[in-house]
């Protein structure tokens, strides 16, 4: 589009109708869906940014921030938001750098006083002045956080499922799958060494279940698992195979007599 011809048709030219051009720009800014604000930076005695003043804002600024135009124009940010210096993000320092050095920047940041996330573009039209144009992206950030939490939950669930695939849900002991995996690892790492596996079975579980109920039978199995762990903690790994059947996989032994002694 030829913008010069457009302005000429509207009787707006840079040379002869600056007032109309200014009105056009003011209307364009006032109708923006983005928040707009013009500020002037304030420097301390050492030339460091210490505050800034609101010079102009548009209607979207009021909607997005909740701050009214008549309450901010001509006022310092420290007056509008007294605890601004306590925010994690250094708003004054960042905007001061833009206003003084004239380097534009875009960034996302959370405003604790306003309890909102913003996507902000800032630039300096003139030394010591800066413009901010921004949007409220709090909803997007909440969705992102929710997705991250769901992803973490899914990862935890996957780890849990993987764990319980190889462990008994009642006693928490490794199960038959773990035993097979451990035997495979042992054979691959030490193919020439021997293996010693002891089967431990309790024949009175059915009697306990039929006489006292399955809840007590479960408590019995849990107690047996703990007892076996305490007895063979240093000698090997205890597995629950099925029902009252447990298994001991000895880690190391020097002779068959040592295995027999452990079994006894």
């Amino acid at each position: 589009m030829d913008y010069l011809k457009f302005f000429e048709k509207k009787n707006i030219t840079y040379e002869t109708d600056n007032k109309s051009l200014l009105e056009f720009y003011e209307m364009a800014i006032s109708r923006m869906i983005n928040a707009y604000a013009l500020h002037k930076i304030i420097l301390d005695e050492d030339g460091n940014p210490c505050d800034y003043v609101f010079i102009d804002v548009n209607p979207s600024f009021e909607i997005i921030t909740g701050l009214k135009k008549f309450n901010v124009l001509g006022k310092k940010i420290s007056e509008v938001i007294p605890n601004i210096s306590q925010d994690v993000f250094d708003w004054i320092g960042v905007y001061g750098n833009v206003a003084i050095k004239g380097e534009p920047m875009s960034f996302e940041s959370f405003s604790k006083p306003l309890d909102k996330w913003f996507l902000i573009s800032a630039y300096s039209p003139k030394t010591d002045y800066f413009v901010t144009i921004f949007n409220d992206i709090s909803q997007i950030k909440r969705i992102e956080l929710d997705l991250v939490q769901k992803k973490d939950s899914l990862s935890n669930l996957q780890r849990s499922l993987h764990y319980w695939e190889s462990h008994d849900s009642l006693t928490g002991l490794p199960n038959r799958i773990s035993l097979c995996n451990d035997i495979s690892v042992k054979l691959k790492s030490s193919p020439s060494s021997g293996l010693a596996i002891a089967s431990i079975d309790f024949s009175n579980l059915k009697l306990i279940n039929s006489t006292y109920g399955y809840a007590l039978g479960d408590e019995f199995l849990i107690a047996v698992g703990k007892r076996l762990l305490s007895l063979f903690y240093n000698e090997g790994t205890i597995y629950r195979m099925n029902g009252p059947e447990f298994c001991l996989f000895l880690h190391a032994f020097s002779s068959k007599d040592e295995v027999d002694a452990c079994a006894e």
Side-chain angles (χ1 to χ4, degrees):
M1 180 178 181
D2 191 331
Y3 287 98
L4 183 57
K5 290 182 179 180
F6 171 78
F7 288 127
E8 289 174 349
K9 289 179 182 179
K10 296 293 184 180
N11 195 28
I12 302 174
T13 62
Y14 290 102
E15 295 82 6
T16 62
D17 206 341
N18 290 330
K19 182 179 180 181
S20 296
L21 181 60
L22 180 59
E23 291 175 350
F24 176 81
Y25 282 138
E26 288 178 346
M27 183 178 296
I29 291 172
S30 68
R31 293 185 178 181
M32 288 172 58
I33 60 173
N34 310 91
Y36 160 91
L38 173 63
H39 318 77
K40 182 178 181 181
I41 201 71
I42 297 176
L43 306 178
D44 60 20
E45 295 179 354
D46 298 322
N48 299 314
C50 62
D51 216 327
Y52 58 84
V53 177
F54 287 89
I55 297 175
D56 188 29
V57 299
N58 69 348
S60 291
F61 173 93
E62 298 180 279
I63 296 171
I64 291 175
T65 65
L67 302 172
K68 297 301 180 183
K69 184 173 183 176
F70 61 84
N71 286 332
V72 301
L73 291 192
K75 293 185 178 179
K76 302 175 182 177
I77 186 63
S78 59
E79 296 173 322
V80 177
I81 305 178
N83 57 346
I84 187 69
S85 61
Q86 299 174 10
D87 205 344
V88 175
F89 188 80
D90 183 13
W91 299 97
I92 297 174
V94 170
Y95 289 146
N97 187 63
V98 173
I100 296 171
K101 296 183 179 180
E103 299 177 355
M105 64 183 304
S106 295
F107 59 94
E108 295 178 359
S109 188
F110 179 74
S111 171
K112 187 175 181 180
L114 299 179
D115 193 28
K116 291 183 178 183
W117 275 93
F118 296 106
L119 174 60
I120 305 168
S121 293
Y123 66 93
S124 175
K126 182 181 178 181
T127 303
D128 293 340
Y129 292 83
F130 67 95
V131 171
T132 56
I133 298 174
F134 56 92
N135 281 320
D136 181 359
I137 58 170
S138 302
Q139 182 63 25
I140 296 174
K141 286 296 182 180
R142 283 191 288 269
I143 293 173
E144 288 179 354
L145 178 60
D146 184 56
L147 289 175
V148 170
Q149 291 174 340
K150 287 181 178 178
K151 182 179 179 181
D152 290 341
S153 297
L154 180 59
S155 297
N156 291 335
L157 178 60
Q158 290 174 332
R159 284 192 293 268
S160 178
L161 289 174
H162 178 72
Y163 177 84
W164 289 114
E165 281 179 355
S166 57
H167 287 75
D168 176 50
S169 60
L170 178 63
T171 62
L173 293 172
N175 60 15
R176 188 184 302 272
I177 294 176
S178 282
L179 177 60
C180 293
N181 291 336
D182 291 346
I183 291 175
S184 177
V185 171
K186 177 69 173 178
L187 291 175
K188 289 180 179 179
S189 61
S190 305
S192 60
S193 64
L195 293 175
I197 300 175
S199 178
I200 307 169
D201 197 352
F202 297 88
S203 58
N204 58 347
L205 179 61
K206 289 184 178 180
L207 178 61
I208 294 174
N209 286 336
S210 60
T211 305
Y212 301 103
Y214 286 94
L216 187 62
D218 288 346
E219 291 182 11
F220 170 75
L221 289 173
I222 293 171
V224 168
K226 291 180 178 179
R227 180 60 175 164
L228 291 174
L229 278 176
S230 65
L231 288 173
F232 301 107
Y233 179 78
N234 294 321
E235 285 77 11
T237 303
I238 294 293
Y239 306 81
R240 185 191 174 198
M241 306 303 286
N242 187 30
E245 184 183 356
F246 293 80
C247 185
L248 168 63
F249 183 16
L250 293 175
H251 291 161
F253 58 93
S254 56
S255 65
K256 182 177 180 300
D257 292 338
E258 187 178 341
V259 175
D260 292 338
C262 183
E264 291 176 1

